[in-house]
């Protein structure tokens, strides 16, 4: 059986390593300095300094193996770290344990069950670690792979995590299942959205919905964008629709703009439409800028047009500059033309 396809990009991993090292270094220094000072005060003996491997050096070596995808070598180095008594209280212990889980996951095969046990036990060992959320997702990824391989108890575990009362755990499960491609996850995530009272969590769910490759997604996002949900959630739905390169999604965004709804949501829909350079969208945005009774929408439509740098956009801005219903809208057209690196816009300004 192949290992999980879930990967970390090297730039992301290096960034995380640098961030973690900075945080750990300051914490470790604060912890170590008083002890060093005490030792120096209690003895006048000059102790020679011998070169020896520190926990930081050992962790750096482990991380190099992870970056190079040398999973077996990483596992051996991790075992050595864990078995070194001097490293028992190391500030890198949680990082090392996380990469132990991850390396076993990547090795796949017989190591997957070890990875599952490692991930599932991590939060109890390091409840305050920055890796806790990652281990929850890892546990679900591995459980799903094992379930697909015909181990029924892991299928039950995945199902229970999807329905968990802990919303963050359920969300982690849905992220993992979405990445793996479980079609049932779409219905489950909609159910989680409907039963959740957390605005923050519901906002995250809307973003996840936008990443599903299913014809059911656009109607779902449309219902949320046009609902009485908080503005933040509806704007998330609008942004998710804007990220979908489908005519049906653009039609929904037009409907949001022309509805008598929240101005902030309507503006978000206009900006999302501005990411498309299709001719019909430019015509729509120009008409909004010229005819909308709400100057906020007229300005938003004008700025959305300026996202396009073709001649049609320049012509539309020229028309708005001449015929916009509101002074603020005409000024927006003027500013937009000034920001366009185009000879035609320069000629209009001159």
């Amino acid at each position: 059986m192949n290992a999980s396809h879930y990967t970390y990009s090297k730039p992301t991993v290096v960034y995380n390593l640098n961030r973690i090292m900075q945080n750990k270094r300051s914490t470790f220094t604060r912890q170590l300095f008083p002890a060093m000072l005490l030792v120096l005060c209690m003895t006048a003996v000059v102790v020679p300094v011998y070169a020896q491997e520190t926990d930081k050096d050992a962790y750096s070596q482990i991380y190099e193996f992870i970056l190079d995808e040398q999973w077996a070598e990483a596992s051996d180095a991790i075992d050595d770290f864990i078995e070194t008594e001097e490293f028992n209280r190391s500030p890198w212990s949680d990082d090392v344990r996380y990469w132990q889980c991850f390396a076993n996951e990547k090795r796949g095969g017989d190591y997957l069950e070890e990875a599952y046990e490692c991930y599932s036990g991590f939060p109890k060992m390091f409840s305050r670690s920055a890796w806790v959320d990652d281990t929850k997702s890892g546990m679900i990824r591995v459980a799903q792979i094992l379930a697909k391989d015909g181990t029924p108890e892991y299928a039950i575990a995945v199902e229970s995590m999807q329905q968990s009362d802990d919303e963050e755990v359920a969300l982690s499960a849905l992220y993992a299942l979405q990445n793996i491609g479980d079609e049932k996850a779409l219905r489950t995530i909609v159910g989680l959205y409907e039963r959740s009272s957390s605005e923050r969590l519901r906002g995250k769910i809307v973003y996840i919905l936008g990443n599903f490759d299913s014809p059911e997604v656009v109607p779902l996002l449309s219902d949320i964008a046009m609902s009485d949900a908080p503005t933040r959630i509806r704007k998330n739905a609008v942004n998710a629709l804007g990220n979908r390169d489908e005519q049906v999604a653009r039609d929904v965004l037009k409907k949001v703009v022309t509805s008598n709804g929240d101005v902030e949501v309507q503006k978000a829909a206009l900006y999302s439409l501005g990411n498309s350079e299709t001719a019909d969208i430019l015509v729509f945005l120009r008409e909004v800028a010229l005819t909308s009774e709400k100057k906020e929408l007229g300005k938003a439509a004008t700025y959305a047009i300026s996202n396009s740098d073709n001649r049609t956009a320049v012509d539309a801005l020229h028309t708005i500059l001449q015929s916009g219903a509101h002074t603020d809208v005409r000024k927006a057209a003027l500013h937009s033309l000034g920001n366009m690196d185009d000879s035609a816009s320069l000629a209009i300004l001159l």
Side-chain angles (χ1 to χ4, degrees), residues 6 131-142 144 158 161-164 166-180 185 189 192 201 204-205 208:
Y6 185 88
W131 293 110
V132 167
D133 289 341
D134 296 273
T135 58
K136 290 178 182 178
S137 296
M139 176 176 60
I140 296 159
R141 285 195 309 273
V142 174
Q144 183 70 359
V158 171
M161 283 184 280
Q162 284 180 303
Q163 304 297 335
S164 172
D166 184 337
E167 291 180 333
E168 291 295 343
V169 172
L171 186 59
S172 296
L174 294 167
Y175 270 122
L177 294 177
Q178 173 201 325
N179 292 334
I180 294 169
I189 196 171
L192 180 58
L201 184 60
K204 288 183 179 180
I205 290 173
I208 298 176

Side-chain angles (χ1 to χ4, degrees), residues 36-51:
M36 293 173 60
L37 187 61
L38 180 62
V39 170
L40 290 173
C41 292
M42 292 177 63
T43 178
V45 178
V46 178
V47 180
V49 178
Y50 297 98

Side-chain angles (χ1 to χ4, degrees), residues 68-348:
D68 294 335
E69 300 183 0
Q70 296 177 266
W71 311 122
E73 291 82 355
S75 293
D76 291 340
I78 289 167
D79 289 341
D80 290 341
F81 187 103
I82 293 173
E83 292 170 5
T84 302
E85 186 176 351
E86 291 82 356
F87 297 167
N88 284 348
R89 297 177 63 83
S90 168
W92 307 99
S93 295
D94 59 326
D95 308 270
V96 171
R97 185 70 66 173
Y98 173 77
W99 292 120
Q100 181 183 44
C101 306
F102 186 78
N104 282 332
E105 177 186 352
K106 301 305 292 184
R107 295 177 81 175
D110 294 338
Y111 293 96
L112 283 173
E113 292 197 23
E114 291 183 35
Y116 180 86
E117 294 300 324
C118 183
Y119 280 134
S120 62
F122 186 96
K124 297 177 182 178
M125 296 176 63
F126 306 100
S127 60
R128 297 183 179 181
S129 171
W131 293 110
V132 167
D133 289 341
D134 296 273
T135 58
K136 290 178 182 178
S137 296
M139 176 176 60
I140 296 159
R141 285 195 309 273
V142 174
Q144 183 70 359
I145 295 170
L146 290 167
K148 286 184 176 182
D149 196 42
T151 311
E153 57 266 32
Y154 290 102
I156 295 171
V158 171
E159 184 67 23
S160 65
M161 283 184 280
Q162 284 180 303
Q163 304 297 335
S164 172
D165 290 334
D166 184 337
E167 291 180 333
E168 291 295 343
V169 172
L171 186 59
S172 296
L174 294 167
Y175 270 122
L177 294 177
Q178 173 201 325
N179 292 334
I180 294 169
D182 192 328
E183 295 179 0
K184 295 180 180 178
L186 179 60
R187 301 309 330 159
T188 305
I189 196 171
V190 172
L192 180 58
Y193 175 86
E194 292 173 347
R195 74 173 186 262
S196 174
S197 59
S198 168
E199 180 177 337
R200 182 179 65 88
L201 184 60
R202 294 175 79 194
K204 288 183 179 180
I205 290 173
V206 170
Y207 275 123
I208 298 176
L209 275 175
N211 293 325
F212 276 90
D213 185 17
S214 168
E216 297 180 51
V217 169
V218 171
L220 288 169
L221 291 173
S222 175
D223 289 343
I224 295 171
M226 302 289 288
S227 71
D228 59 353
T231 299
R232 174 185 173 186
I233 293 175
R234 284 186 284 160
K235 287 174 68 175
N236 285 359
V238 163
N239 292 332
L241 286 165
N243 290 332
R244 300 181 71 88
D245 188 19
E246 303 169 70
Q247 184 60 46
V248 63
R250 291 190 286 271
D251 289 341
V252 171
L253 291 173
K254 290 180 183 180
K255 184 178 178 182
V256 171
V257 172
T258 57
S259 67
N260 187 22
D262 189 314
V263 172
E264 292 302 313
V265 178
Q266 291 174 300
K267 286 166 60 178
L270 287 167
Y271 289 129
S272 292
L273 286 170
N275 294 327
S276 172
E277 296 191 9
T278 59
D280 65 308
I281 294 300
L282 282 173
V283 171
F284 176 80
L285 292 173
R286 185 189 65 182
E287 290 305 307
V288 172
L290 290 172
T291 63
S292 177
E293 296 179 358
K294 301 176 181 178
K295 65 180 180 181
E296 295 91 341
L297 295 187
K299 288 169 60 178
T302 302
Y303 287 128
I305 290 172
S306 68
N307 287 338
S308 173
D309 58 2
N310 60 41
R311 180 54 192 266
T312 304
V314 173
D315 291 341
L317 291 172
H318 189 191
T319 301
I320 297 167
L321 178 60
Q322 292 178 319
S323 308
H326 301 280
T327 301
D328 286 346
V329 175
R330 295 197 297 273
K331 287 170 65 176
L334 188 67
H335 294 314
S336 296
L337 286 166
N339 290 329
M340 298 185 80
D341 185 15
D342 182 275
S343 58
S345 60
L346 177 61
I348 292 170

